[in-house]
Amino acid sequence: STPTQIIRLGSQRALNFFRRRGRRLNKLHADQLIQWARNALSHKQQETPTMQYILSLLLHQLCRVNEDIRLLEIEVIKNLVQIPPVLLLTIDYIGPVTAGEFGGEISPLSQYRCARSVIKGAGLDPVSYQSSKYEAPEHPISRKGSSPLRYISIDIGDRLMKNNEHFRFFANRLIGRGKSENCACVAVTGKFIRIAYWMLKELK
């Protein structure tokens, strides 16, 4: 989104936007996001040597942080190759940090009886609403399980839905049948969890 779109959204609707997608965001962060967008629009003064110097320092700091992240990912891979979640790296668009975080959240795998138990444990199981004459067309998720597991699972589902050819085809087919993008993302996440569960259980 552009700064203009973020400002128009407002902090409360920004909160709802992120929560529907399983993202970590609180009221303080939402307000800060709106303020950053306002600053981005209101900054019209001409650049000065001081501003250029500050920018160069920030860019240097960013390069240093990127290098720290790269080294950390190497350490993560060293540990990851010793445990079953390393198998998740065979799925396109899942990296070592993501695989390690998901693997950590579902370990030990023996605590789950089946893949559906993992989905329920993440609070991604649908809550049906129906009466004798009406059934809701889309069911919200329960959100009763582990929030860290739910966040990383939704993050993976969102990434796979947008980039991985297999999961993108599955999501587009659901959207073509009238499902919303959010609903498709939850369905893709569930599909990923089922695949991941059996990969880790069968070690292949």
Short mmCIF file of all heavy atoms in Angstrom, two decimals, residues 33-88:
data_model
loop_
_atom_site.label_atom_id
_atom_site.label_comp_id
_atom_site.label_asym_id
_atom_site.label_seq_id
_atom_site.Cartn_x
_atom_site.Cartn_y
_atom_site.Cartn_z
N LEU A 33 2.28 3.06 12.57
CA LEU A 33 2.24 2.87 11.12
C LEU A 33 1.58 4.06 10.43
O LEU A 33 2.08 4.57 9.42
CB LEU A 33 1.48 1.58 10.79
CG LEU A 33 1.38 1.18 9.32
CD1 LEU A 33 2.76 0.83 8.76
CD2 LEU A 33 0.43 0.01 9.15
N ILE A 34 0.46 4.52 10.99
CA ILE A 34 -0.24 5.67 10.43
C ILE A 34 0.62 6.92 10.52
O ILE A 34 0.68 7.73 9.58
CB ILE A 34 -1.60 5.90 11.15
CG1 ILE A 34 -2.49 4.65 11.06
CG2 ILE A 34 -2.33 7.11 10.58
CD1 ILE A 34 -2.82 4.21 9.67
N GLN A 35 1.32 7.09 11.65
CA GLN A 35 2.17 8.26 11.83
C GLN A 35 3.32 8.26 10.84
O GLN A 35 3.68 9.29 10.27
CB GLN A 35 2.70 8.31 13.27
CG GLN A 35 3.43 9.60 13.63
CD GLN A 35 2.57 10.83 13.43
OE1 GLN A 35 1.43 10.89 13.87
NE2 GLN A 35 3.10 11.82 12.71
N TRP A 36 3.92 7.09 10.61
CA TRP A 36 5.00 6.98 9.62
C TRP A 36 4.49 7.37 8.23
O TRP A 36 5.20 8.03 7.47
CB TRP A 36 5.54 5.55 9.60
CG TRP A 36 6.43 5.21 10.75
CD1 TRP A 36 7.09 6.08 11.57
CD2 TRP A 36 6.74 3.91 11.22
NE1 TRP A 36 7.80 5.40 12.53
CE2 TRP A 36 7.61 4.06 12.33
CE3 TRP A 36 6.38 2.63 10.83
CZ2 TRP A 36 8.11 2.98 13.03
CZ3 TRP A 36 6.89 1.55 11.52
CH2 TRP A 36 7.75 1.72 12.62
N ALA A 37 3.28 6.93 7.92
CA ALA A 37 2.71 7.26 6.61
C ALA A 37 2.50 8.76 6.48
O ALA A 37 2.76 9.34 5.42
CB ALA A 37 1.39 6.51 6.42
N ARG A 38 2.05 9.40 7.56
CA ARG A 38 1.84 10.86 7.54
C ARG A 38 3.19 11.58 7.35
O ARG A 38 3.29 12.55 6.60
CB ARG A 38 1.17 11.32 8.82
CG ARG A 38 -0.29 10.93 8.93
CD ARG A 38 -1.01 11.80 9.97
NE ARG A 38 -2.41 11.40 10.09
CZ ARG A 38 -2.90 10.66 11.07
NH1 ARG A 38 -2.09 10.23 12.03
NH2 ARG A 38 -4.17 10.33 11.11
N ASN A 39 4.21 11.11 8.06
CA ASN A 39 5.53 11.72 7.94
C ASN A 39 6.08 11.57 6.53
O ASN A 39 6.75 12.47 6.01
CB ASN A 39 6.50 11.10 8.94
CG ASN A 39 6.17 11.47 10.38
OD1 ASN A 39 5.44 12.44 10.62
ND2 ASN A 39 6.69 10.72 11.32
N ALA A 40 5.81 10.43 5.93
CA ALA A 40 6.31 10.19 4.57
C ALA A 40 5.70 11.18 3.59
O ALA A 40 6.34 11.61 2.64
CB ALA A 40 5.98 8.76 4.14
N LEU A 41 4.44 11.56 3.83
CA LEU A 41 3.76 12.49 2.93
C LEU A 41 4.16 13.93 3.21
O LEU A 41 4.27 14.74 2.30
CB LEU A 41 2.25 12.35 3.07
CG LEU A 41 1.63 11.11 2.43
CD1 LEU A 41 0.13 11.11 2.69
CD2 LEU A 41 1.88 11.08 0.94
N SER A 42 4.37 14.26 4.50
CA SER A 42 4.59 15.66 4.87
C SER A 42 6.05 16.08 4.69
O SER A 42 6.36 17.26 4.80
CB SER A 42 4.18 15.88 6.33
OG SER A 42 4.98 15.08 7.19
N HIS A 43 6.94 15.13 4.42
CA HIS A 43 8.36 15.46 4.30
C HIS A 43 8.64 16.05 2.91
O HIS A 43 8.83 15.32 1.94
CB HIS A 43 9.21 14.22 4.52
CG HIS A 43 10.68 14.50 4.48
ND1 HIS A 43 11.31 15.25 5.42
CD2 HIS A 43 11.62 14.15 3.57
CE1 HIS A 43 12.60 15.34 5.11
NE2 HIS A 43 12.81 14.68 4.00
N LYS A 44 8.65 17.37 2.80
CA LYS A 44 8.84 18.03 1.51
C LYS A 44 10.08 18.93 1.49
O LYS A 44 10.37 19.54 0.47
CB LYS A 44 7.60 18.87 1.17
CG LYS A 44 6.34 18.03 0.99
CD LYS A 44 5.15 18.92 0.67
CE LYS A 44 3.89 18.08 0.49
NZ LYS A 44 2.71 18.93 0.23
N GLN A 45 10.78 19.04 2.63
CA GLN A 45 11.91 19.95 2.66
C GLN A 45 13.09 19.39 1.86
O GLN A 45 13.21 18.19 1.66
CB GLN A 45 12.35 20.20 4.11
CG GLN A 45 12.83 18.93 4.82
CD GLN A 45 12.89 19.13 6.31
OE1 GLN A 45 11.88 19.37 6.94
NE2 GLN A 45 14.08 19.03 6.86
N GLN A 46 13.93 20.29 1.38
CA GLN A 46 15.05 19.90 0.55
C GLN A 46 16.10 19.17 1.38
O GLN A 46 16.31 19.47 2.56
CB GLN A 46 15.67 21.15 -0.07
CG GLN A 46 16.69 20.85 -1.16
CD GLN A 46 17.15 22.13 -1.84
OE1 GLN A 46 16.79 23.21 -1.40
NE2 GLN A 46 17.94 22.00 -2.88
N GLU A 47 16.73 18.18 0.77
CA GLU A 47 17.75 17.42 1.49
C GLU A 47 18.94 18.30 1.84
O GLU A 47 19.35 19.15 1.05
CB GLU A 47 18.22 16.23 0.64
CG GLU A 47 17.22 15.10 0.57
CD GLU A 47 17.83 13.85 -0.05
OE1 GLU A 47 19.06 13.86 -0.27
OE2 GLU A 47 17.08 12.90 -0.30
N THR A 48 19.49 18.08 3.02
CA THR A 48 20.67 18.82 3.48
C THR A 48 21.81 17.83 3.65
O THR A 48 21.58 16.61 3.71
CB THR A 48 20.38 19.50 4.83
OG1 THR A 48 20.13 18.47 5.81
CG2 THR A 48 19.15 20.42 4.74
N PRO A 49 23.04 18.32 3.74
CA PRO A 49 24.18 17.40 3.98
C PRO A 49 23.99 16.55 5.25
O PRO A 49 24.38 15.38 5.27
CB PRO A 49 25.37 18.35 4.12
CG PRO A 49 24.98 19.54 3.30
CD PRO A 49 23.49 19.69 3.49
N THR A 50 23.37 17.14 6.27
CA THR A 50 23.14 16.38 7.51
C THR A 50 22.18 15.22 7.27
O THR A 50 22.41 14.10 7.74
CB THR A 50 22.56 17.30 8.61
OG1 THR A 50 23.46 18.38 8.83
CG2 THR A 50 22.36 16.53 9.90
N MET A 51 21.11 15.51 6.53
CA MET A 51 20.14 14.44 6.23
C MET A 51 20.79 13.35 5.39
O MET A 51 20.54 12.16 5.60
CB MET A 51 18.94 15.03 5.49
CG MET A 51 18.03 15.88 6.38
SD MET A 51 16.78 16.75 5.41
CE MET A 51 15.97 15.38 4.61
N GLN A 52 21.64 13.74 4.44
CA GLN A 52 22.32 12.75 3.61
C GLN A 52 23.26 11.89 4.46
O GLN A 52 23.36 10.68 4.25
CB GLN A 52 23.11 13.46 2.51
CG GLN A 52 22.22 14.13 1.46
CD GLN A 52 23.04 14.90 0.44
OE1 GLN A 52 24.27 14.99 0.55
NE2 GLN A 52 22.37 15.47 -0.54
N TYR A 53 23.92 12.52 5.43
CA TYR A 53 24.82 11.78 6.31
C TYR A 53 24.05 10.77 7.16
O TYR A 53 24.46 9.62 7.31
CB TYR A 53 25.59 12.77 7.20
CG TYR A 53 26.48 12.10 8.22
CD1 TYR A 53 27.64 11.42 7.82
CD2 TYR A 53 26.17 12.14 9.57
CE1 TYR A 53 28.47 10.81 8.74
CE2 TYR A 53 27.00 11.53 10.50
CZ TYR A 53 28.14 10.86 10.08
OH TYR A 53 28.95 10.25 11.01
N ILE A 54 22.90 11.23 7.72
CA ILE A 54 22.07 10.33 8.53
C ILE A 54 21.57 9.17 7.69
O ILE A 54 21.58 8.00 8.13
CB ILE A 54 20.87 11.11 9.14
CG1 ILE A 54 21.38 12.11 10.19
CG2 ILE A 54 19.86 10.16 9.76
CD1 ILE A 54 20.32 13.06 10.70
N LEU A 55 21.17 9.44 6.45
CA LEU A 55 20.69 8.38 5.57
C LEU A 55 21.79 7.37 5.27
O LEU A 55 21.56 6.15 5.26
CB LEU A 55 20.16 8.99 4.26
CG LEU A 55 19.61 8.00 3.23
CD1 LEU A 55 18.44 7.21 3.82
CD2 LEU A 55 19.17 8.72 1.97
N SER A 56 23.02 7.88 5.04
CA SER A 56 24.14 6.97 4.76
C SER A 56 24.42 6.08 5.97
O SER A 56 24.75 4.89 5.82
CB SER A 56 25.38 7.76 4.37
OG SER A 56 25.88 8.50 5.48
N LEU A 57 24.29 6.63 7.20
CA LEU A 57 24.49 5.83 8.41
C LEU A 57 23.42 4.75 8.53
O LEU A 57 23.72 3.61 8.89
CB LEU A 57 24.44 6.74 9.65
CG LEU A 57 25.63 7.68 9.89
CD1 LEU A 57 25.39 8.51 11.14
CD2 LEU A 57 26.93 6.89 10.01
N LEU A 58 22.18 5.12 8.22
CA LEU A 58 21.09 4.14 8.29
C LEU A 58 21.27 3.03 7.26
O LEU A 58 21.02 1.86 7.55
CB LEU A 58 19.74 4.86 8.07
CG LEU A 58 19.29 5.78 9.20
CD1 LEU A 58 18.04 6.55 8.79
CD2 LEU A 58 19.01 4.99 10.48
N LEU A 59 21.73 3.39 6.07
CA LEU A 59 21.97 2.39 5.04
C LEU A 59 23.12 1.46 5.44
O LEU A 59 23.06 0.25 5.21
CB LEU A 59 22.29 3.07 3.70
CG LEU A 59 21.10 3.77 3.02
CD1 LEU A 59 21.58 4.55 1.80
CD2 LEU A 59 20.05 2.75 2.61
N HIS A 60 24.14 2.03 6.07
CA HIS A 60 25.27 1.22 6.56
C HIS A 60 24.79 0.26 7.65
O HIS A 60 25.18 -0.91 7.67
CB HIS A 60 26.37 2.14 7.10
CG HIS A 60 27.56 1.40 7.61
ND1 HIS A 60 28.45 0.74 6.79
CD2 HIS A 60 28.02 1.21 8.88
CE1 HIS A 60 29.39 0.17 7.52
NE2 HIS A 60 29.16 0.44 8.80
N GLN A 61 23.93 0.76 8.52
CA GLN A 61 23.38 -0.08 9.59
C GLN A 61 22.53 -1.20 9.00
O GLN A 61 22.58 -2.35 9.47
CB GLN A 61 22.54 0.78 10.53
CG GLN A 61 22.02 0.02 11.75
CD GLN A 61 21.21 0.92 12.67
OE1 GLN A 61 20.98 2.09 12.35
NE2 GLN A 61 20.77 0.39 13.79
N LEU A 62 21.77 -0.88 7.95
CA LEU A 62 20.93 -1.89 7.30
C LEU A 62 21.79 -2.99 6.69
O LEU A 62 21.46 -4.18 6.81
CB LEU A 62 20.07 -1.22 6.22
CG LEU A 62 19.15 -2.14 5.41
CD1 LEU A 62 18.12 -2.81 6.31
CD2 LEU A 62 18.45 -1.36 4.31
N CYS A 63 22.90 -2.61 6.05
CA CYS A 63 23.81 -3.60 5.47
C CYS A 63 24.38 -4.51 6.56
O CYS A 63 24.50 -5.72 6.37
CB CYS A 63 24.93 -2.91 4.71
SG CYS A 63 24.41 -2.07 3.21
N ARG A 64 24.71 -3.92 7.70
CA ARG A 64 25.27 -4.70 8.81
C ARG A 64 24.24 -5.67 9.37
O ARG A 64 24.55 -6.83 9.66
CB ARG A 64 25.77 -3.76 9.90
CG ARG A 64 26.65 -4.45 10.93
CD ARG A 64 27.40 -3.47 11.82
NE ARG A 64 26.47 -2.66 12.61
CZ ARG A 64 26.31 -1.35 12.45
NH1 ARG A 64 26.99 -0.71 11.52
NH2 ARG A 64 25.47 -0.67 13.20
N VAL A 65 23.01 -5.21 9.50
CA VAL A 65 21.93 -6.08 10.00
C VAL A 65 21.67 -7.21 9.01
O VAL A 65 21.45 -8.36 9.41
CB VAL A 65 20.65 -5.25 10.24
CG1 VAL A 65 19.47 -6.17 10.51
CG2 VAL A 65 20.84 -4.31 11.42
N ASN A 66 21.66 -6.89 7.70
CA ASN A 66 21.46 -7.94 6.69
C ASN A 66 22.54 -9.01 6.77
O ASN A 66 22.26 -10.20 6.62
CB ASN A 66 21.44 -7.31 5.29
CG ASN A 66 20.13 -6.65 4.97
OD1 ASN A 66 19.10 -7.00 5.53
ND2 ASN A 66 20.15 -5.69 4.05
N GLU A 67 23.78 -8.58 7.02
CA GLU A 67 24.88 -9.55 7.16
C GLU A 67 24.70 -10.39 8.42
O GLU A 67 24.93 -11.61 8.40
CB GLU A 67 26.21 -8.80 7.21
CG GLU A 67 27.43 -9.70 7.39
CD GLU A 67 27.62 -10.68 6.25
OE1 GLU A 67 27.03 -10.50 5.16
OE2 GLU A 67 28.38 -11.66 6.44
N ASP A 68 24.24 -9.77 9.51
CA ASP A 68 23.96 -10.52 10.75
C ASP A 68 22.87 -11.57 10.51
O ASP A 68 22.96 -12.70 11.00
CB ASP A 68 23.53 -9.57 11.87
CG ASP A 68 24.68 -8.70 12.36
OD1 ASP A 68 25.84 -9.05 12.09
OD2 ASP A 68 24.40 -7.67 13.01
N ILE A 69 21.84 -11.16 9.76
CA ILE A 69 20.75 -12.10 9.45
C ILE A 69 21.27 -13.26 8.61
O ILE A 69 20.90 -14.43 8.84
CB ILE A 69 19.61 -11.36 8.72
CG1 ILE A 69 18.92 -10.38 9.68
CG2 ILE A 69 18.59 -12.35 8.15
CD1 ILE A 69 17.89 -9.49 9.01
N ARG A 70 22.12 -12.95 7.65
CA ARG A 70 22.68 -14.01 6.79
C ARG A 70 23.48 -15.02 7.62
O ARG A 70 23.34 -16.24 7.44
CB ARG A 70 23.57 -13.39 5.71
CG ARG A 70 24.04 -14.38 4.64
CD ARG A 70 25.01 -13.72 3.67
NE ARG A 70 26.28 -13.42 4.32
CZ ARG A 70 27.26 -14.33 4.49
NH1 ARG A 70 27.09 -15.57 4.08
NH2 ARG A 70 28.39 -13.99 5.08
N LEU A 71 24.30 -14.51 8.53
CA LEU A 71 25.09 -15.40 9.39
C LEU A 71 24.20 -16.21 10.32
O LEU A 71 24.46 -17.39 10.59
CB LEU A 71 26.09 -14.58 10.21
CG LEU A 71 27.19 -13.87 9.40
CD1 LEU A 71 28.03 -12.98 10.32
CD2 LEU A 71 28.07 -14.88 8.68
N LEU A 72 23.13 -15.58 10.81
CA LEU A 72 22.19 -16.28 11.68
C LEU A 72 21.49 -17.40 10.93
O LEU A 72 21.27 -18.49 11.47
CB LEU A 72 21.17 -15.29 12.24
CG LEU A 72 20.12 -15.86 13.20
CD1 LEU A 72 20.79 -16.49 14.42
CD2 LEU A 72 19.13 -14.78 13.63
N GLU A 73 21.12 -17.14 9.67
CA GLU A 73 20.47 -18.17 8.86
C GLU A 73 21.39 -19.37 8.65
O GLU A 73 20.93 -20.52 8.62
CB GLU A 73 20.04 -17.58 7.51
CG GLU A 73 18.82 -16.67 7.62
CD GLU A 73 18.39 -16.14 6.26
OE1 GLU A 73 19.20 -16.19 5.31
OE2 GLU A 73 17.24 -15.69 6.15
N ILE A 74 22.69 -19.11 8.50
CA ILE A 74 23.66 -20.20 8.36
C ILE A 74 23.66 -21.06 9.63
O ILE A 74 23.67 -22.29 9.56
CB ILE A 74 25.07 -19.64 8.07
CG1 ILE A 74 25.10 -19.00 6.68
CG2 ILE A 74 26.12 -20.75 8.18
CD1 ILE A 74 26.40 -18.28 6.37
N GLU A 75 23.61 -20.40 10.80
CA GLU A 75 23.58 -21.14 12.07
C GLU A 75 22.27 -21.94 12.19
O GLU A 75 22.27 -23.07 12.69
CB GLU A 75 23.71 -20.18 13.25
CG GLU A 75 25.10 -19.56 13.39
CD GLU A 75 26.17 -20.60 13.59
OE1 GLU A 75 25.97 -21.52 14.41
OE2 GLU A 75 27.21 -20.51 12.92
N VAL A 76 21.17 -21.33 11.73
CA VAL A 76 19.88 -22.02 11.77
C VAL A 76 19.93 -23.28 10.91
O VAL A 76 19.46 -24.35 11.31
CB VAL A 76 18.74 -21.09 11.30
CG1 VAL A 76 17.46 -21.88 11.08
CG2 VAL A 76 18.49 -19.98 12.31
N ILE A 77 20.52 -23.17 9.71
CA ILE A 77 20.62 -24.32 8.81
C ILE A 77 21.47 -25.42 9.45
O ILE A 77 21.14 -26.61 9.34
CB ILE A 77 21.20 -23.89 7.45
CG1 ILE A 77 20.21 -22.99 6.71
CG2 ILE A 77 21.51 -25.11 6.59
CD1 ILE A 77 20.75 -22.38 5.45
N LYS A 78 22.55 -25.04 10.14
CA LYS A 78 23.41 -26.04 10.79
C LYS A 78 22.62 -26.87 11.79
O LYS A 78 22.82 -28.08 11.92
CB LYS A 78 24.57 -25.34 11.51
CG LYS A 78 25.65 -24.80 10.60
CD LYS A 78 26.74 -24.13 11.42
CE LYS A 78 27.81 -23.52 10.53
NZ LYS A 78 28.84 -22.79 11.33
N ASN A 79 21.73 -26.21 12.52
CA ASN A 79 20.90 -26.93 13.49
C ASN A 79 19.74 -27.66 12.81
O ASN A 79 19.34 -28.74 13.24
CB ASN A 79 20.35 -25.96 14.54
CG ASN A 79 21.45 -25.37 15.41
OD1 ASN A 79 22.33 -26.09 15.86
ND2 ASN A 79 21.40 -24.07 15.64
N LEU A 80 19.22 -27.02 11.73
CA LEU A 80 18.03 -27.57 11.07
C LEU A 80 18.31 -28.91 10.40
O LEU A 80 17.46 -29.79 10.38
CB LEU A 80 17.52 -26.56 10.04
CG LEU A 80 16.11 -26.78 9.47
CD1 LEU A 80 15.07 -26.74 10.58
CD2 LEU A 80 15.79 -25.71 8.42
N VAL A 81 19.53 -29.06 9.85
CA VAL A 81 19.85 -30.31 9.14
C VAL A 81 19.87 -31.51 10.07
O VAL A 81 19.88 -32.65 9.61
CB VAL A 81 21.21 -30.20 8.40
CG1 VAL A 81 21.13 -29.17 7.29
CG2 VAL A 81 22.34 -29.89 9.37
N GLN A 82 19.86 -31.27 11.38
CA GLN A 82 19.91 -32.38 12.33
C GLN A 82 18.52 -32.83 12.79
O GLN A 82 18.40 -33.79 13.53
CB GLN A 82 20.72 -31.95 13.57
CG GLN A 82 22.13 -31.50 13.22
CD GLN A 82 22.88 -31.00 14.45
OE1 GLN A 82 22.89 -31.66 15.49
NE2 GLN A 82 23.49 -29.84 14.34
N ILE A 83 17.47 -32.14 12.34
CA ILE A 83 16.11 -32.48 12.77
C ILE A 83 15.18 -32.61 11.56
O ILE A 83 15.46 -32.06 10.48
CB ILE A 83 15.55 -31.41 13.75
CG1 ILE A 83 15.59 -30.02 13.12
CG2 ILE A 83 16.34 -31.42 15.06
CD1 ILE A 83 14.98 -28.93 13.97
N PRO A 84 14.06 -33.34 11.69
CA PRO A 84 13.15 -33.60 10.56
C PRO A 84 12.63 -32.36 9.81
O PRO A 84 12.46 -32.45 8.59
CB PRO A 84 12.00 -34.36 11.22
CG PRO A 84 12.62 -35.05 12.37
CD PRO A 84 13.66 -34.10 12.88
N PRO A 85 12.37 -31.21 10.48
CA PRO A 85 11.85 -30.06 9.72
C PRO A 85 12.72 -29.60 8.57
O PRO A 85 12.27 -28.79 7.74
CB PRO A 85 11.72 -28.97 10.79
CG PRO A 85 11.45 -29.71 12.05
CD PRO A 85 12.30 -30.95 11.93
N VAL A 86 13.97 -30.10 8.47
CA VAL A 86 14.81 -29.74 7.31
C VAL A 86 14.14 -30.19 6.02
O VAL A 86 14.37 -29.61 4.94
CB VAL A 86 16.22 -30.36 7.44
CG1 VAL A 86 16.17 -31.87 7.26
CG2 VAL A 86 17.19 -29.72 6.45
N LEU A 87 13.28 -31.21 6.09
CA LEU A 87 12.57 -31.70 4.91
C LEU A 87 11.67 -30.62 4.30
O LEU A 87 11.37 -30.65 3.11
CB LEU A 87 11.73 -32.93 5.28
CG LEU A 87 12.51 -34.17 5.75
CD1 LEU A 87 11.55 -35.21 6.31
CD2 LEU A 87 13.33 -34.74 4.60
N LEU A 88 11.22 -29.67 5.13
CA LEU A 88 10.32 -28.63 4.64
C LEU A 88 11.01 -27.71 3.63
O LEU A 88 10.34 -27.02 2.86
CB LEU A 88 9.78 -27.80 5.81
CG LEU A 88 8.95 -28.56 6.84
CD1 LEU A 88 8.53 -27.64 7.97
CD2 LEU A 88 7.72 -29.19 6.19
#
